[in-house]
Amino acid sequence: MNQSKVQILSRLSSMNPISPVLAPWVSRRDFPDRKAQFKQALEKAKGECRLVADLAEATEVVAQLLAAAGAREVVVQQNDLLDSIDWHGLVPGITLHQAGNTVDDWRKYCADADAGISSAVALLAETGSLVLYSGAGNGRLTTLLPPLHIALVPESHLMVDLFELVDKLPTPLPANIVIVSGPSKTADIEQTMVVGVHGPLRLVVIVIEGH
Amino acid sequence: MPSKVRVTLFVTCLVEQVMPEIGIATAQLFARLGIQFAVPKNLTCCGQPFFNSGFLPEALKLAKKTIAALEKSEIVVLPSGSCTAMIRKEYPKLLADEPKWTARAVALAERTLELSEFLAKHDLLSPRPLGGNVTYHDSCHMCRGLGLRAEPRQVLAKAGMGVTEMQESDRCCGFGGLFSMKMPEVASAMRTEKLEQAKDTGAPIMVTADPGCLLHLRLQPDANRSFWVRHLAEVLEEVSR
Amino acid sequence: MKTTTGDFRKTARQAIDDKRLQAALESATEHFRAGRQGAFAEFPNIEILRDHLKQARAATLANLGTHLEAFERNAVANGSTVHWAEDSGAAANIVLDIARRRGASSVVKSKSMITEEIHLNQHLEHNGLEVTETDLGEWIVQLAEEAPSHIIAPAIHKTRGEVAKLMSDEGGFQVDPQDITAMTRHARMRLRQSFLSASIGISGANLIVAETGSVVLVTNEGNGRMVTSLPDIHIAVVGIEKVAPDWKIAAAWLSLLARSATGQPLSIYTNIISGPARSDDPDGPREVHIILLDNGRARLTGGKYAEVLECLRCGACLNVCPVYREAGGHAYGSPYSGPIGAVVSPLLFGLDEYPGLPQASTLCGACLDVCPVRIDLPRMLLELRADSVKQGLVPRHERWVERAAGRILQSDFLTTAAATLVRIAQRTFGIRDRLSLLGRVLPALSQGSFSKWWREVQKP
């Protein structure tokens, strides 16, 4: 065994009182309208939330957002939901790269992209958060480098809070999980809030109701 | 409260030697309220300054001396939140290694009350109509040490004093016992903040239940004498005349 | 010796005289205090959650070895490499070694107090590596070649004009000193170049989770994600006390952390790293190294100061401390300032190095009030003061005065005699209200004692 490890472990006290087994925290939190709570919490953190009736409407919203942002290059994650959208028909003239298909210059595409589009494993109502897992077709940089992050998420992925999420973590965990609770921000200069630092300047979550 | 119960008044060392007017006000107040009380001999200091600076042997000796002088009393009242906290909260811990003394400390702790706590608990004040406006400083030992936020306000209200709350009424004034001597510029800056917040209420008087805070606040250079800091006992005594 | 009482006072005095710094300190801490209050009011049963997390932290520390070994097992199973470092030098050398073996020349860092503790930047730069801080506040203080002055808001003490100048000098072109948004955009653009080209990303960890061998890093800016996703190699340095045994406890921890620090329910990005990129991940680091650092923590377990290891590093105690709010962070002379710094710095680095810190407090108890895990800092400050006396770290004249005063007060006769003598001296020298002695203003004794009045009033 590593010498430093041995030294450190030996320095730890072995004369500790036996603590009783602690019952885990049970969050009894819930909200009469989880969607409304999610929207409120996200907007409080300067994120944007759109509620749409179906995937078609969601797709329209994405098209509008991309057009309004003047987006020319876009990076997209891959999963069943996102793969069912006709991306190339969406905004004519747009250059699109998909996470699973273009690994080689993936980093450059994300760095140059005007928008990154993802889904989410879960939404957390309490904190207005989006939960993202890395994996096949799901890069980290898609939702990190571009200035605009758009997420399309079925309503059925909505959970109450972090405590519910940790009960449903997969085994094994993906290499990276990010819980995103708004666009990036800082108040490091004279305590003045500025939205948009290193991560996206804008976060739009489109919740597909009834999905 | 039964008239046969005798109260022991422990004025505390700062009052004894530096600000006797607080003790005098307390004594006169008690007399006017018809409270039978005694002022014991054999008391000098509860030991807190020594405890706070890490001089435990000195603190221990004074703790024992204080317990011996007070333990025959039925009720002990102090016009000082910090000394009350010392006796009630620290003595049992300080003497934890000597079981006989621990028991004596615990017994005394159960009978020791701060002034406003005593007056509120036994409902001793007769209500008076509104006659003045003050602001109240929650000293650290009173609010965080003993949990006594309501009692001083209750007795002030009973005495006809309207209390206009300052911002951060429970922010430390900077006395901290010997701290004000060890780090005078920080203590002074803290005092300035407290006085400004108090003056901002528009009340002419700031009231406190701790002689230590009082002493420190009154030492402000350029103190504008039209805004004054007074002890709870002084205000209550004046109103009772 | 790093910080004596005199050192603290000197830097505090400068901070107190600096009107602008005072306004900045007040505005920042007020904002955080109000945020915390709002967040706590909104959360049901938060007091019970605090008790729960306190018990969990205490129980974890009582079995720290078990949890650390579980962490290592699970981290290795993810493909991470776990290193153990006994002290600062060992940890810094492990980082340097990794950098050398990979031929790395540039490093990006996200904000990490523990890397300040081990003087990592200096060590790496001294050995030819380029190190860029990426948290905006940390980058600003790095450009200014200063130490951070608050655990959560490192550049509290800098004005926008000062920041603009630092950025202009660094970038080689003008930055508008009034436009804070422009400065932030400039930082985004400038630091992105560093993120994209760096070979190594170094972070700390807000906590690590033994159950899955994961590192958890929270930021608002996104630099934590950048540093741990862009470079090929990610190195996380973390204190051995920062472990949560499982995800249920981690969730409680995260629920209290940001709420206590700024009032946010969660930081913008909660980043959970469980090993390097998997074979079908489009991106992510190829290597993840986790350095578990002791540096004085292990020997505190099981003793009267073990509680200090429960700290979540939220900064709530700084935001309420009336001493910190006047003196500022630099007065402490340690990467850890404020109430937690006053206790943890002497404990980790030596009381003889930081004799002034346990004195830098009025014991007001505001810190204990707000600590999410109810760490009894006032109790430990008192213990450290008693230790200071026992170890002879209290100046001789002070010791002499306290011992003499203690002896006098033990005797009713000596007390009365001494007080009488002082009163005679006061009358002789015409001292009424106060006197100046050794640079201190002391209150004068009253003309007559309370007991004297009482005796006279008793006379028929």
Side-chain angles (χ1 to χ4, degrees):
Chain A
M1 204 193 270
N2 175 304
Q3 252 311 101
S4 302
K5 176 177 171 182
V6 169
Q7 286 303 316
I8 293 172
L9 291 177
S10 72
R11 233 172 267 139
L12 293 172
S13 173
S14 54
M15 304 201 315
N16 293 303
I18 315 270
S19 19
V21 177
L22 185 68
W25 177 259
V26 176
S27 166
R28 280 177 205 77
R29 207 145 199 206
D30 210 339
F31 304 94
D33 185 344
R34 288 188 190 184
K35 237 177 356 197
Q37 169 60 29
F38 172 81
K39 186 166 150 67
Q40 190 194 353
L42 178 60
E43 286 171 353
K44 187 166 182 209
K46 310 284 188 253
E48 298 163 59
C49 176
R50 308 285 184 86
L51 305 171
V52 300
D54 53 33
L55 188 56
E57 202 186 329
T59 315
E60 264 175 54
V61 174
V62 174
Q64 283 162 25
L65 288 168
L66 292 178
R72 301 253 52 89
E73 276 201 56
V74 173
V75 284
V76 187
Q77 309 281 50
Q78 289 200 279
N79 66 11
D80 292 339
L81 178 73
L82 296 173
D83 286 353
S84 71
I85 297 173
D86 172 18
W87 293 105
H88 293 280
L90 205 58
V91 180
I94 212 166
T95 312
L96 199 99
H97 305 281
Q98 287 175 298
N101 296 334
T102 46
V103 179
D104 314 280
D105 245 338
W106 178 239
R107 177 194 261 234
K108 184 176 188 311
Y109 295 141
C110 289
D112 292 344
D114 302 306
I117 304 178
S118 77
S119 181
V121 165
L123 299 174
L124 304 182
E126 185 200 28
T127 51
S129 310
L130 209 59
V131 183
L132 308 170
Y133 290 175
S134 65
N138 280 293
R140 307 176 191 205
L141 305 179
T142 326
T143 59
L144 176 59
L145 294 182
L148 169 61
H149 172 198
I150 303 170
L152 285 83
V153 192
E155 184 183 355
S156 58
H157 290 199
L158 189 53
M159 294 186 191
V160 174
D161 59 16
L162 194 56
F163 292 98
E164 188 180 340
L165 175 69
V166 304
D167 271 347
K168 298 178 175 166
L169 290 172
T171 311
L173 289 186
N176 185 234
I177 299 175
V178 186
I179 305 173
V180 178
S181 307
S184 65
K185 66 183 185 192
T186 182
D188 271 344
I189 304 175
E190 286 195 4
Q191 313 320 308
T192 307
M193 176 75 68
V194 177
V195 174
V197 197
H198 302 298
L201 281 75
R202 221 180 135 200
L203 168 65
V204 184
V205 180
I206 303 169
V207 181
I208 308 170
E209 296 178 297
H211 205 96
Chain B
M1 150 178 170
S3 57
K4 295 245 178 47
V5 177
R6 282 183 59 90
V7 166
T8 298
L9 174 60
F10 175 17
V11 299
T12 76
C13 65
L14 271 182
V15 169
E16 172 70 29
Q17 301 293 1
V18 184
M19 292 174 292
E21 63 270 21
I22 295 173
I24 295 168
T26 311
Q28 288 173 335
L29 177 67
F30 278 5
R32 241 166 259 142
L33 294 174
I35 297 168
Q36 298 256 55
F37 67 99
V39 175
K41 304 196 170 73
N42 312 326
L43 280 172
T44 55
C45 170
C46 71
Q48 183 169 83
F50 302 93
F51 176 70
N52 280 0
S53 18
F55 285 83
L56 296 183
E58 286 73 11
L60 262 162
K61 292 199 179 90
L62 288 171
K64 290 176 177 173
K65 177 177 165 55
T66 306
I67 292 172
L70 290 174
E71 63 189 342
K72 300 226 174 36
S73 313
E74 288 185 55
I75 299 182
V76 180
V77 178
L78 295 83
S80 164
S82 70
C83 308
T84 305
M86 184 68 197
I87 294 173
R88 222 157 62 197
K89 310 209 81 189
E90 298 302 341
Y91 276 9
K93 285 190 258 174
L94 194 56
L95 293 159
D97 291 336
E98 299 179 60
K100 287 215 188 81
W101 277 105
T102 324
R104 292 165 75 175
V106 169
L108 177 62
E110 283 163 7
R111 300 196 301 276
T112 302
L113 296 161
E114 178 272 338
L115 176 64
S116 69
E117 188 185 13
F118 168 68
L119 294 170
K121 182 173 174 184
H122 295 283
D123 197 19
L124 290 164
L125 294 175
S126 330
R128 286 180 189 276
L130 188 63
N133 181 26
V134 303
T135 188
Y136 176 73
H137 162 58
D138 288 288
S139 58
C140 302
H141 282 112
M142 283 294 282
C143 65
R144 282 178 290 276
L146 297 167
L148 297 172
R149 288 179 194 261
E151 289 79 351
R153 289 173 169 84
Q154 261 174 50
V155 304
L156 281 167
K158 255 298 183 57
M161 291 292 142
V163 177
T164 307
E165 297 290 349
M166 67 177 102
Q167 295 254 37
E168 298 194 271
S169 62
D170 59 4
R171 185 210 238 191
C172 180
C173 70
F175 178 59
L178 294 173
F179 176 81
S180 56
M181 312 249 170
K182 290 192 187 171
M183 300 205 172
E185 42 287 291
V186 181
S188 180
M190 289 165 72
R191 171 174 55 208
T192 304
E193 292 289 350
K194 172 65 46 165
L195 285 167
E196 270 170 23
Q197 285 176 327
K199 285 183 200 161
D200 281 347
T201 63
I205 296 174
M206 166 159 51
V207 181
T208 175
D210 253 302
C213 303
L214 193 73
L215 183 69
H216 179 63
L217 290 162
R218 282 187 182 168
L219 276 176
Q220 176 85 333
D222 313 317
N224 181 357
R225 297 288 162 127
S226 68
F227 175 82
W228 199 226
V229 191
R230 312 209 65 200
H231 190 274
L232 185 67
E234 294 177 301
V235 171
L236 296 177
E237 186 274 323
E238 234 172 62
V239 160
S240 74
R241 286 184 197 160
Chain C
M1 198 180 287
K2 306 241 168 52
T3 314
T4 61
T5 302
D7 294 329
F8 188 94
R9 285 180 59 195
K10 182 152 169 266
T11 314
R13 212 174 297 136
Q14 287 166 9
I16 289 165
D17 290 339
D18 184 343
K19 296 261 176 285
R20 203 205 43 81
L21 174 61
Q22 288 298 308
L25 270 173
E26 203 40 47
S27 129
T29 57
E30 210 272 312
H31 178 76
F32 292 145
R33 282 196 305 277
R36 178 193 170 274
Q37 261 175 357
F40 271 51
E42 189 272 338
F43 192 99
N45 300 313
I46 203 156
E47 295 303 318
I48 308 178
L49 182 61
R50 284 170 84 179
D51 294 333
H52 173 85
L53 187 60
K54 184 186 184 66
Q55 281 174 56
R57 292 292 289 131
T60 305
L61 292 166
N63 276 298
L64 194 54
T66 311
H67 299 302
L68 288 171
E69 290 195 283
F71 173 80
E72 182 184 40
R73 256 192 328 271
N74 292 316
V76 168
N78 286 333
S80 301
T81 307
V82 175
H83 310 259
W84 299 72
E86 292 185 64
D87 55 39
S88 295
N93 280 326
I94 291 169
V95 177
L96 184 62
D97 193 54
I98 295 168
R100 283 211 175 110
R101 280 193 278 121
R102 302 290 179 277
S105 55
S106 63
V107 167
V108 282
K109 282 184 70 220
S110 67
K111 184 166 121 39
S112 159
M113 304 309 297
I114 205 168
T115 60
E116 309 263 347
E117 182 183 328
I118 66 174
H119 311 294
L120 183 61
N121 292 12
Q122 292 96 300
H123 191 67
L124 295 178
E125 284 167 343
H126 195 66
N127 282 282
L129 278 103
E130 188 196 326
V131 179
T132 307
E133 290 288 348
T134 64
D135 170 274
L136 181 57
E138 288 284 349
W139 185 50
I140 290 167
V141 298
Q142 183 185 38
L143 293 176
E145 293 178 4
E146 291 172 7
S149 64
H150 184 290
I151 284 176
I152 304 296
I156 255 181
H157 57 290
K158 294 301 243 198
T159 62
R160 66 185 75 183
E162 287 168 340
V163 174
K165 177 144 196 335
L166 289 165
M167 288 188 179
S168 302
D169 290 347
E170 195 273 342
F173 56 87
Q174 279 299 71
V175 177
D176 181 350
Q178 282 312 308
D179 192 341
I180 290 179
T181 302
M183 281 179 233
T184 310
R185 297 283 176 265
H186 171 82
R188 175 190 173 92
M189 177 210 67
R190 176 66 194 83
L191 291 170
R192 187 158 283 213
Q193 294 164 18
S194 302
F195 286 128
L196 289 168
S197 60
S199 340
I200 297 185
I202 299 179
S203 75
N206 293 88
L207 63 149
I208 59 179
V209 187
E211 185 182 351
T212 52
S214 307
V215 170
V216 182
L217 187 62
V218 312
T219 72
N220 286 321
E221 297 179 16
N223 58 319
R225 292 175 69 188
M226 296 284 209
V227 159
T228 59
S229 303
L230 278 166
D232 274 344
I233 298 162
H234 168 216
I235 305 173
V237 185
V238 56
I240 53 173
E241 83 283 19
K242 287 285 205 64
V243 57
D246 57 54
W247 276 102
K248 288 183 165 28
I249 292 175
W253 188 319
L254 286 166
S255 296
L256 279 168
L257 178 60
R259 286 186 167 101
S260 301
T262 60
Q264 296 166 274
L266 280 179
S267 304
I268 296 296
Y269 303 113
T270 304
N271 188 14
I272 303 165
I273 297 142
S274 310
R278 308 289 188 258
S279 56
D280 50 6
D281 286 0
D283 48 36
R286 282 191 290 112
E287 286 179 47
V288 171
H289 295 261
I290 302 159
I291 302 174
L292 299 173
L293 176 65
D294 178 356
N295 209 28
R297 289 154 173 80
R299 64 175 153 70
L300 295 175
T301 56
K304 63 185 178 181
Y305 295 119
E307 210 185 353
V308 82
L309 298 173
E310 295 168 13
C311 178
L312 314 183
R313 297 286 190 267
C314 70
C317 56
L318 275 71
N319 298 327
V320 291
C321 178
V323 170
Y324 174 86
R325 286 161 67 180
E326 302 295 341
H330 290 158
Y332 295 77
S334 162
Y336 308 111
S337 58
I340 185 67
V343 175
V344 87
S345 309
L347 287 175
L348 291 182
F349 315 132
L351 186 51
D352 53 343
E353 288 287 311
Y354 287 97
L357 294 192
Q359 309 299 330
S361 166
T362 57
L363 303 173
C364 81
C367 51
L368 169 56
D369 225 22
V370 298
C371 175
V373 283
R374 309 200 202 277
I375 297 174
D376 196 345
L377 290 169
R379 172 189 70 82
M380 289 190 279
L381 285 164
L382 281 166
E383 299 268 14
L384 285 168
R385 289 176 184 189
D387 288 349
S388 301
V389 172
K390 283 182 219 141
Q391 291 174 33
L393 292 167
V394 171
R396 209 159 13 129
H397 67 267
E398 196 189 307
R399 236 186 306 144
W400 192 89
V401 168
E402 297 245 13
R403 295 231 156 97
R407 227 163 280 138
I408 292 170
L409 288 166
Q410 268 174 60
S411 151
D412 302 316
F413 171 74
L414 282 177
T415 304
T416 312
T420 308
L421 280 172
V422 172
R423 287 192 166 93
I424 292 171
Q426 283 178 185
R427 272 200 294 278
T428 309
F429 294 108
I431 295 165
R432 292 191 139 265
D433 194 23
R434 64 191 72 179
L435 57 122
S436 292
L437 190 67
L438 305 167
R440 306 276 192 275
V441 174
L442 296 174
L445 296 191
S446 54
Q447 274 207 296
S449 70
F450 171 77
S451 293
K452 177 159 180 271
W453 174 85
W454 179 246
R455 277 193 308 272
E456 285 172 7
V457 135
Q458 302 285 61
K459 288 176 186 155

